[in-house]
Amino acid sequence: MLNEPIPFDPAHDLDALAASGALGGNVALFRQPRGPDLLRRSAPLEEWCALRTRHGVWPYGRTLEGPPAPLATVEGDGLAAAQGINFASQDYLSLASHPAVIDRAMQVLAESGPHSAGSAILLGNSRYSAALEEAIGALLHCQQVVLFPTGWGAAFGAVTALAHPGDHVVIDALAHASLRQGAAAATRNVTVFRHLDCDHLRELLAGIRAVDANGAILVVTEGLFSMDADSPDLPLTQYLCREYGATLMVDVAHDLGSMGPGGSGAIGAQGMLGKIDIVMGAFSKTFASNGGFVACSERSVRRQLQLFAGPHMFSNALSPVQAATVLECLRIATGGEGEGLRADLMRNAVALRALLQEEGMRCMGSPSPIVPLWTGSEAAARIAGMLLARERVFVNPMEFPGVPLGAARLRLQLMAQHTPAQVRRAAPLLAAAVRRALEAPRPVLRASGQA
Ligand SMILES: Cc1ncc(COP(=O)(O)O)c(C=O)c1O
């Protein structure tokens, strides 16, 4: 069978793995296949993925049994279902298995059923979604909130609804794909500033304003970059936007709830609550559900989003269960229990980073729910991920298009409920796998450059 995994003995088989071609190639090579036959021209991509799957280095379609807990049962990646330490789920405050969250979801499921049955503007709202808009507004000190069925839709919808072909989008080089794709769909005037570099941002804004006094400028960044675990200087970024008549949008998908006083994320931590022009976020990380939002102070912007953000207008709304789940998570995250959970989460992050650094590993960014562990080469990330899965430590190896080519890493995501013992047990395994992967034989590249 094409996808049958090849048994692997790490002590002997790294040479064979390198020779197989499964460590070579990257997704970019297959992005735009050529030829008139749209149904068949993706065949090389399928062959490449199948080769990687057979050799246990395609970790992207695994399944989870049960909740995304710190100790989880994972199947796939060439392995039978196995229980192990899970650093591959984004349930930062461990709210997906919180009894109050589950109770609330079950009550509302029994009361309202599983379906929103319409887009927000066509009777898809519920009293839970209305209460959720208010709760998000209160947390962020923004009066106007629009909900979306996904965080992706919130990002894409906000950029495309607000920026037009005559406008400009100035975006951090490492912004999430939803924001970059939104920018590309909104206007050709997209300018990229070096990651977190406010001097470069200032230079670009000055250049745009020197030639275009009339177009709007939307500046886009994130509260916590999820592949790099770093944050921009938000007061300075917002100041620059004011200076050049630009509007700032900050995506807080990863930091809202999981960081900052009262769960207010990077915006609260930097004293900017109520002072950022537009805040956008997702419920899929800390809030145990799916969905997203955009928050701001202007009622007219809310209306613009409701009518012109495609994923709000033309996609079914959050279901009552999703909205009630997020509300319950918000209640916990913004209260005393949330402070305790964030303290546990940060204890884990600091401990894991310290242990990895003692092992000579390079952790990127600074303490947050995310610990990116640098490998650089895609081959090394693939090998390390595969070795770790066999040690029952589950991580997400990140390579292009999630991160730039040649900047691969393992992304470790922590949860409040990871125990200190799990972190201590995992750190040497992580370090050993990365060391071994970096020392492994170089992959064989076929003449085409593809595996
Ligand atoms: C920064 C950022 N924005 C937006 C999204 C999209 O959110 P969702 O997965 O909830 O659609 C993600 C999710 O990966 C993200 O990391």
Side-chain angles (χ1 to χ4, degrees):
M1 230 174 67
L2 190 63
N3 275 327
E4 191 142 324
I6 294 171
F8 186 81
D9 173 0
H12 302 108
D13 291 350
L14 284 178
D15 282 325
L17 177 58
S20 71
L23 298 177
N26 59 69
V27 171
L29 298 168
F30 304 97
R31 170 71 188 88
Q32 290 180 335
R34 297 267 165 89
D37 189 343
L38 203 141
L39 292 178
R40 291 200 172 70
R41 67 188 189 180
S42 298
L45 169 63
E46 179 49 28
E47 279 165 30
W48 180 69
C49 293
L51 176 71
R52 286 187 57 177
T53 304
R54 280 202 305 284
H55 287 273
V57 288
W58 181 258
Y60 303 117
R62 297 182 290 193
T63 54
L64 191 62
E65 270 174 37
L71 206 56
T73 301
V74 173
E75 188 174 356
D77 194 14
L79 292 176
Q83 196 184 55
I85 303 175
N86 177 16
F87 294 118
S89 294
Q90 34 200 18
D91 181 28
Y92 299 138
L93 293 191
S94 296
L95 294 178
S97 44
H98 192 293
V101 173
I102 292 171
D103 277 357
R104 192 76 190 115
M106 286 171 69
Q107 275 167 19
V108 176
L109 179 64
E111 171 202 295
S112 303
H115 195 193
S116 70
S119 77
I121 143 149
L122 299 177
L123 210 56
N125 289 329
S126 63
R127 63 193 158 100
Y128 302 106
S129 61
L132 178 56
E133 286 176 2
E134 250 184 57
I136 293 281
L139 174 58
L140 290 170
H141 300 196
C142 293
Q143 279 166 3
Q144 308 297 330
V145 176
V146 182
L147 299 179
F148 288 78
T150 63
W152 203 96
F156 186 88
V159 179
T160 49
L162 297 177
H164 305 151
D167 297 331
H168 304 261
V169 178
V170 183
I171 186 165
D172 186 287
L174 300 185
H176 190 258
S178 52
L179 299 162
R180 284 185 283 118
Q181 290 184 24
T187 172
R188 289 178 155 189
N189 305 322
V190 178
T191 321
V192 174
F193 63 96
R194 286 189 294 272
H195 182 51
L196 306 185
D197 187 338
C198 281
D199 289 337
H200 193 210
L201 174 61
R202 185 197 303 262
E203 209 178 287
L204 293 175
L205 290 175
I208 293 169
R209 274 297 172 238
V211 294
D212 185 357
N214 298 321
I217 307 175
L218 181 65
V219 172
V220 179
T221 187
E222 297 184 16
L224 173 69
F225 284 82
S226 75
M227 299 292 174
D228 299 78
D230 52 14
S231 299
D233 180 335
L234 291 173
L236 180 55
T237 309
Q238 182 64 76
Y239 170 82
L240 291 176
C241 288
R242 297 261 144 79
E243 197 175 326
Y244 291 98
T247 299
L248 176 61
M249 181 166 112
V250 180
D251 178 341
V252 295
H254 288 268
D255 50 302
L256 192 72
S258 69
M259 298 177 76
S264 56
I267 293 178
Q270 296 191 32
M272 291 297 285
L273 280 174
K275 297 179 190 159
I276 300 289
D277 294 324
I278 299 173
V279 184
M280 177 251 120
F283 303 134
S284 53
K285 316 331 176 178
T286 299
F287 301 101
S289 189
N290 287 336
F293 70 88
V294 179
C296 63
S297 306
E298 287 74 18
R299 204 175 157 72
S300 56
V301 171
R302 177 172 192 251
R303 190 73 78 183
Q304 180 86 13
L305 291 167
Q306 285 174 327
L307 294 183
F308 299 106
H312 177 83
M313 173 88 166
F314 294 109
S315 192
N316 256 27
L318 284 181
S319 71
V321 175
Q322 288 175 310
T325 299
V326 177
L327 256 179
E328 184 62 15
C329 290
L330 264 175
R331 187 190 64 72
I332 296 168
T334 54
E337 189 178 355
E339 292 301 352
L341 293 170
R342 276 186 292 281
D344 292 348
L345 175 62
M346 202 48 89
R347 172 206 66 205
N348 289 335
V350 168
L352 183 60
R353 294 177 77 91
L355 290 166
L356 289 171
Q357 276 154 4
E358 275 166 28
E359 296 266 4
M361 295 290 108
R362 178 177 162 199
C363 297
M364 303 164 71
S366 43
S368 78
I370 301 155
V371 181
L373 180 52
W374 176 261
T375 64
S377 97
E378 286 79 14
R382 289 174 202 171
I383 295 172
M386 183 264 296
L387 294 175
L388 284 163
R390 279 161 173 77
E391 297 281 359
R392 302 185 174 197
V393 176
F394 301 114
V395 304
N396 283 318
M398 291 297 178
E399 55 180 276
F400 182 88
V403 295
L405 286 171
R409 65 205 66 171
L410 304 182
R411 183 170 74 170
L412 315 173
Q413 286 171 299
L414 288 156
M415 301 179 229
Q417 279 181 359
H418 276 115
T419 63
Q422 286 166 341
V423 170
R424 276 197 306 275
R425 182 172 138 58
L429 296 172
L430 287 159
V434 169
R435 255 194 304 274
R436 180 159 218 159
L438 290 171
E439 288 159 3
R442 299 285 96 201
V444 171
L445 292 182
R446 304 255 160 89
S448 65
Q450 297 180 1

